[in-house]
Each structure stands twice: as structure tokens, then as C-alpha cells.
Amino acid sequence: VRRFVGDVLPEFMVPAVVVVLDGLPLTANGKLDRSGLPDPEFVSAVEYREPGSADEQVLAALFGEVLGVGPVGVDDGFFDLGGHSLSATRLVSRVRSVLGVEVPIRVVFEAPTVAELAARLGEGERVRAALVAQERPVSVPLSFAQRRLWFVHRFEGPSATYNIPMAVRLSGVLDVEALVSAVRDVVVRHESLRTVFVEVDGSPVQRVVDAAVLEVPVSVKEVDVVDVDSEVAAAAGYRFDLSSQIPVRASVFRCGADDHVLVLVVHHIAGDGGSLAPLVRDLVSAYAARKQGAAPGWDPLPVQYADYTLWQQQVLGDEDDPESVLSGQFDYWRGVLEGLPDQVSLPVDRPRPRVASYRGDMVPFVVGPRLRVAVEELARGEGATVSMVLQAALAVLLSRVGAGEDVAIGSPIAGRTDEALTDLVGFFVNTWVLRTRVDGGASFVEIVRQVREQALAAYANQDAPFERLVELLNPVRSTAHHPLFQVALAFQNNVFPDIDFPGLIATPLPASTATA
């Protein structure tokens, strides 16, 4: 069964365990009752060998926790069990929290089994301070990532370029009042969603709107079914004024008694791709509670985004301090990106406009099962990830169509390096630049190995804020193109939860801002 599923699904979606049941347990609404499912019995690809030492036992448990499998033996490999770079980051965070040991992501790739990783624990890395609630100053500064978007907002004015829209059709009897209350509950829970950005003495600061005076924009509108697409597009393209409006809004379009469309839009300054899972999970939980006439019974979040901002500055230190984390990472990126071409040369059909319009669109295409399996097998054989292989392939493609031998590709990096951030909505993603030398005499495997090495080094220096890196490298600036790179690759492997509103059937809908 796993072999068959592996022919049609991405590697990270292939189940580690297959359990045969006579029937599926269902809830009263006819949906899958997850609590009624039996615990799966994991069967490893290698002969099971029980963990021996205390470190092996803890690591085996953490492998199982992060990947959702078990039991895990000492010879089981993290990536063989379905791990990838994003889950490796979560593993590093859990190891830090449970064992008090700092394990670089590179070590997880070099020593992927429980036994190998246990032998590499404590190789001299200084343990990063844990993220905890901070004492708030009168004015909370912006995080590094937020500062970049704030400057863009000030320079270009409100736009939809950095909107993150989500649309879903809700079929069934919707309790609109409960949904409106649930949206408010989520915004109250996550301070990032009720923060405005103002200037104090010439510097931008975060100002969290008190829940007692908070007004959450949720509109409810009757629309004809044929107008749904245009209404969704208009909602997705809303232009936030970040200085006076909270960076989230919701629209409910009533198409019929049992047919509604919910559009939720979050500005990127308050969220990222990794925020969608906790956002949806909390919204569904709050709706279920409000539908029963109760408030959601959440456990309090351990930290808020303002705590992360203050912690980020403490952990990274001052870039003028040669002993700081920030200084060391900037030194790395200066060396790697020195002499980078100002822009990529591609055979486009028209010249770049003098000022970027940010108009964009999506062109979908499908990678066939056979090619996907080949990519995964190559990645596994080289101790790489699928995203690394795709990065190498894109670099080779760009080189062949005119980009030359020195190819720079940007990529987002999740940035959730502490476990306290797991369930938090906020803007944590950073951007890095991987520079690939595409030598015409090199084999593709050699290019993959080069990308792998650069990616692992980049993981160790992922905290250096891209916006400050641009300032330090000081490339030729232009309103016509993005600095340092103009082609980006985003491998979307964030886990998205089921949109399981009680009594409703949820169907995701496309929602585009028509920007890029």
C-alpha cells in the first residue's frame, strides 16, 4: 500500500503506517472520529533495535513526536521516516528544550539515525536562550522582518502585495453570529492580529490594541453565486493602512441559506505560511465553542509576538559586537554573496518597467508521479531534501536560458526556531539567498551536492535578517527589481489542518491578490 501511495503522493504525505480497519469511526455529524481510531503499530524499514542509553530513548521519543510515528528504533533514520528540513527544525527545537543541547540542522543531516545523532550530542554548540514572556518596554520595536514591510508600506503606500488571503466555502447551516464571535476570539488570542504600527520619535513601534476597545472588521454580505469569484478577489485585494487598522479582516458572503463563503485576509506583517495552521485550528475551535454558547477553552499561549521581537534582539545581539550571533552570521553572508550579479538575465519578451508594478499571476502545472519519485530517490541517495534537488534543477534551468554560471535564487525560511512559536500567529519567516555555480562540465548530482552544502551552511546562519543584509551588502538599488535576487523558490510543506467546522462541509477556494 505504501509503495502504491508513494507513486501518487509527495514523500512527506506518504503514511509511515498502514492500519486495516473493518470500518471508520464517525462522529454524530458523519465525520471521521479521530479519537476512535486505534493507535498505529509502526513497522520500520529496518530491523527494530531498542534504544539503549538515556539519550537514545529521548531522541527516539522525539523522532516519533515530531514525525507522528512510533515506536522508533536506534537505527531508524529521521528522513527515512518522512522528515524534511521543516520538521528537522522542529526536532532541533525539541532537542534544545528537552535535553538542553544545541544541535545544528547540519548534524541532523549528517547523523540522521537515533544512534548516530545520540553520539553527536553536545559537540560544543552554545545553547540558545529559550523564548519566554518578556518584560514589555513602553514602546515595543518591530522585528527585523516587520521593519522591512513597514518601510515598504511607508514608501509605496497601502497595497495588496503582502496580503495572505484564505477562502473557504461552507456548506450547511452556518451560525454566522458564532463565526463572527470566533474570529474576534482568535484576534484577541493572538496579539499580532490586533497590532497597529505607529511612529514614536521617528521610529516604528508595535502598539497592541486592547481587547476591551478592539473592533474586528467582519462583514456579512448577500451575494449571487455568479459573483462569488469577484467578491473573493476584491476581499483578497484589500489594502490595509497599518498605522490605523489591525492587519486582519474577514468577509462572509451569503450565497444561500446553506451556502456561505468565508474570506480571511491577514497582512504579511502579522502572519506567514506557518501561521495558517494555528490560525485555522483556533478559528475552528472557537466556532465550535461559540456554537454551543461558550467561550473557547484554550490553554494560554506561552508567548506573544512582542515577546519574540524582544527575544530576537537579545539572542542575536548587536551587529557591532564581533562576538554576537548577528555579527558572525553577517560575516558568513558577506563572504558567500560578495560579487553577486546585480540582476538575473533572462530572455523576457519586454524590458522591465522603471518601477515594479507587482502585478502577477499563477501558472499551475503538474509534476508527474514518476518524475516526483525520481526526485525523491535522488534526494534520499544524496542525503538531501526534495527542495534542495528542486533548487538545483531551477538553477540549472535558469543558467541554460541565459542567467549565466552564477545563479542566485531566494527562498523563504520558516524562522520558527523555538518551540514556543509553534502555535503562534506571527511573521517569523526570513529570506535567504542560495548562490549556485553552474559549471557546464558538472553533473547534475554535483550541482545537487553543491546546493546541499550551501543550504546546510545557510541553516546555521538563517537568523541574519535579509533586509539588514541588503543594507550591508549595498547592491545596486533599483525600483525596477528586487535586490540580490529576482527569482525565488518556495517549497510549501507547511502542515495545514482540517477545516472541520462542526455541522459544515468546508471546501477551500482559490484566492489570489493578482500580485507577485
Side-chain angles (χ1 to χ4, degrees), residues 289-301:
R290 290 299 179 182
K291 198 169 184 298
Q292 298 297 320
W298 293 313
D299 291 329
L301 291 167

Side-chain angles (χ1 to χ4, degrees), residues 20 30 77 101 109 111 148 373 404 446 481:
V20 178
V101 175
F109 278 84
R148 177 171 64 87
V373 170
E446 290 173 324
H481 61 78

Side-chain angles (χ1 to χ4, degrees), residues 131 134-137 139-143 206 305-315:
L131 171 55
Q134 308 286 313
E135 183 176 347
R136 303 277 181 95
S139 296
V140 178
L142 275 59
S143 69
Q206 302 180 51
Y305 192 84
D307 300 314
Y308 162 77
T309 301
L310 299 171
W311 171 82
Q312 182 189 51
Q313 295 184 341
Q314 296 167 9
V315 168

